[in-house]
Amino acid sequence: MTPIGTIDQRPTVLIVDDEAAPRAALSQILKQDFNILTAENGNHALAVINDHGVDLMTLDLKLPDSSGSDILKEIKRTHREIEVIMVTAYGTLQSAMDCVRHGAAGFLLKPFNASELLSISLQTSHKKQRLDMLRRAMVEEKALWQPDPVCTEAWQALMGRYAQQVKSGLLQISSRETTSPLIQLISDLLEARDRHLVNHGNRVSFYATLVANHLQLTLTEQQHLALGALAHDLDLISGDSTPLLPHDTDRSCHHPDVGARIGRAIGLPPEAVQVIALHHERWDGTGYPFGLGEERIPYLARLVALAQKFDELTAEYPGAVPLPMKKALALIESQSGTAFEPSLVEVFCRTIREQPPQK
């Protein structure tokens, strides 16, 4: 219990379940580390969110008035900063994947293990603190988007605060995570702007490194490729309050020079910065920002251009209809020699076709 006269700085969790017993069990497990609010259905949950500040939710997948997945979508549409953990007795792999795709931070099955529930709740709360810190900085600190040397100084200062808070335990990075602090920072920056950006970056990095396994790239080149692919849309974290999505292809929406400047400021290797700066170039020289063509485009940037185009065509984004893999690859092959390097198109399409179908 918080002593009288002190401010309770614990995060607030909203427990949404139509059964009293699970609500009580969840409350008992979380009450020491969180302020607790409860709701017995989806409409009640939305009302609570609108009336109170909520950091984290545990959300039952089956509710009497609506599905938990529908409530999740609505929350991510109107309160995207709230982190949601799905809790259900009826989960399947597909339902878990669907919830994660729509923005859930985690998925737990009933009967849940108390220590596992507390662990994932604390990890998710720490993640929200990291994202909130970055969101504030990206809005309030205009120097982050200025030309050098102002930009670099601002990013170095932000990185220092980020690292110090992680070190002090205020914004702990999960002990389960084995990624480098730089990859964690890039992922957090993208997600702080919009979860579609970090999901897109992760998929593009996956596709690019998958193809790289069939090419004669050194380990260092593969590491630079993975970093550059993850960070290729860093320019989209800047700008006004309307998040841009990866399929926004209007050139006026993209500022590769800004992304490259951010990449240099946070310490990405030059090869990864080149990917950010030049993945919009085309093999026939009609791309941007410099109109480079053929071998003048760095090899890693040529590969990331292919991977990001494939994801644009096949992934689910608001307002976009994904293409089946077969049609997407056919479209990419039709642009061999114009948008993309012919030899890379051949390796990329063959590699993707060789992957086992998703179940």
Side-chain angles (χ1 to χ4, degrees):
M1 179 165 305
T2 304
I4 296 175
T6 64
I7 298 175
D8 191 345
Q9 296 183 335
R10 294 177 301 169
T12 296
V13 60
L14 172 60
I15 297 169
V16 185
D17 198 301
D18 63 320
E19 298 181 21
R23 289 200 305 271
L26 287 163
S27 299
Q28 184 66 28
I29 294 168
L30 298 176
K31 68 179 183 180
Q32 182 172 339
D33 297 285
F34 296 88
N35 292 312
I36 305 294
L37 298 172
T38 62
E40 67 273 8
N41 58 53
N43 287 329
H44 186 194
L46 294 175
V48 170
I49 287 172
N50 290 328
D51 292 339
H52 299 81
V54 173
D55 300 296
L56 174 67
M57 288 179 63
T58 65
L59 179 60
D60 199 331
L61 192 60
K62 293 178 71 71
L63 295 170
D65 59 343
S66 58
S67 73
S69 61
D70 287 340
I71 297 298
L72 170 65
K73 294 174 192 176
E74 178 63 16
I75 290 167
K76 286 301 176 179
R77 186 183 69 82
T78 58
H79 298 83
R80 65 188 180 92
E81 74 283 357
I82 296 176
E83 298 293 339
V84 181
I85 299 171
M86 305 303 296
V87 182
T88 182
Y90 307 96
T92 65
L93 177 60
Q94 187 59 52
S95 62
M97 291 174 62
D98 288 343
C99 289
V100 170
R101 187 173 72 250
H102 291 299
F107 198 92
L108 283 174
L109 290 177
K110 297 178 183 178
F112 44 79
N113 177 282
S115 61
E116 183 181 8
L117 169 65
L118 182 58
S119 176
I120 192 172
S121 298
L122 290 172
Q123 290 168 27
T124 304
S125 176
H126 293 149
K127 171 188 172 182
K128 184 183 186 304
Q129 292 176 48
R130 297 199 309 266
L131 298 184
D132 283 349
M133 182 191 73
L134 294 174
R135 289 184 184 114
R136 287 192 299 270
M138 289 156 62
V139 170
E140 298 171 1
E141 299 180 23
K142 305 302 182 184
L144 294 171
W145 322 117
Q146 299 300 312
D148 277 329
V150 175
C151 168
T152 296
E153 292 173 357
W155 279 104
Q156 288 296 314
L158 176 58
M159 290 176 66
R161 297 199 306 273
Y162 182 89
Q164 184 59 40
Q165 288 176 314
V166 169
K167 183 178 179 180
S168 68
L170 295 177
L171 303 180
Q172 295 176 21
I173 291 177
S174 166
S175 60
R176 295 181 181 180
E177 296 177 24
T178 58
T179 54
S180 74
L182 187 55
I183 290 176
Q184 184 66 50
L185 173 61
I186 294 169
S187 296
D188 280 352
L189 285 168
L190 293 171
E191 186 167 359
R193 187 67 169 121
D194 191 278
R195 63 183 174 84
H196 295 290
L197 289 179
V198 69
N199 292 340
H200 173 64
N202 282 324
R203 289 191 302 265
V204 171
S205 185
F206 171 76
Y207 295 138
T209 53
L210 185 68
V211 175
N213 291 330
H214 295 261
L215 302 169
Q216 299 301 313
L217 298 183
T218 66
L219 178 59
T220 299
E221 287 173 329
Q222 292 186 47
Q223 292 170 340
H224 292 161
L225 174 67
L227 267 177
L230 173 64
H232 75 279
D233 273 340
L234 265 183
D235 63 299
L236 296 185
I237 70 172
S238 67
D240 59 28
S241 59
T242 303
L244 296 171
L245 298 178
H247 63 78
D248 292 325
T249 55
D250 186 343
R251 291 189 182 190
S252 65
C253 295
H254 292 269
H255 303 280
D257 59 319
V258 174
R261 193 187 310 146
I262 296 169
R264 286 191 295 270
I266 65 176
L268 287 179
E271 294 83 356
V273 174
Q274 283 185 335
V275 169
I276 299 171
L278 303 175
H279 72 278
H280 291 293
E281 302 286 0
R282 288 168 52 102
W283 185 251
D284 62 5
T286 63
Y288 66 97
F290 302 114
L292 304 179
E294 300 189 356
E295 302 291 338
R296 294 180 65 199
I297 307 170
Y299 190 72
L300 300 185
R302 288 179 245 160
L303 178 51
V304 170
L306 268 169
Q308 68 93 24
K309 184 63 177 179
F310 178 72
D311 191 66
E312 285 178 7
L313 294 172
T314 58
E316 292 186 12
Y317 299 112
V321 179
L323 292 179
M325 185 190 75
K326 184 177 180 180
K327 288 186 177 180
L329 292 177
L331 182 57
I332 286 174
E333 287 172 328
S334 73
Q335 297 178 338
S336 176
T338 54
F340 309 115
E341 177 185 355
S343 62
L344 270 181
V345 168
E346 192 275 328
V347 176
F348 183 89
C349 292
R350 184 178 72 245
T351 301
I352 297 299
R353 288 189 176 110
E354 287 175 352
Q355 299 309 302
Q358 293 186 353
K359 296 183 179 179

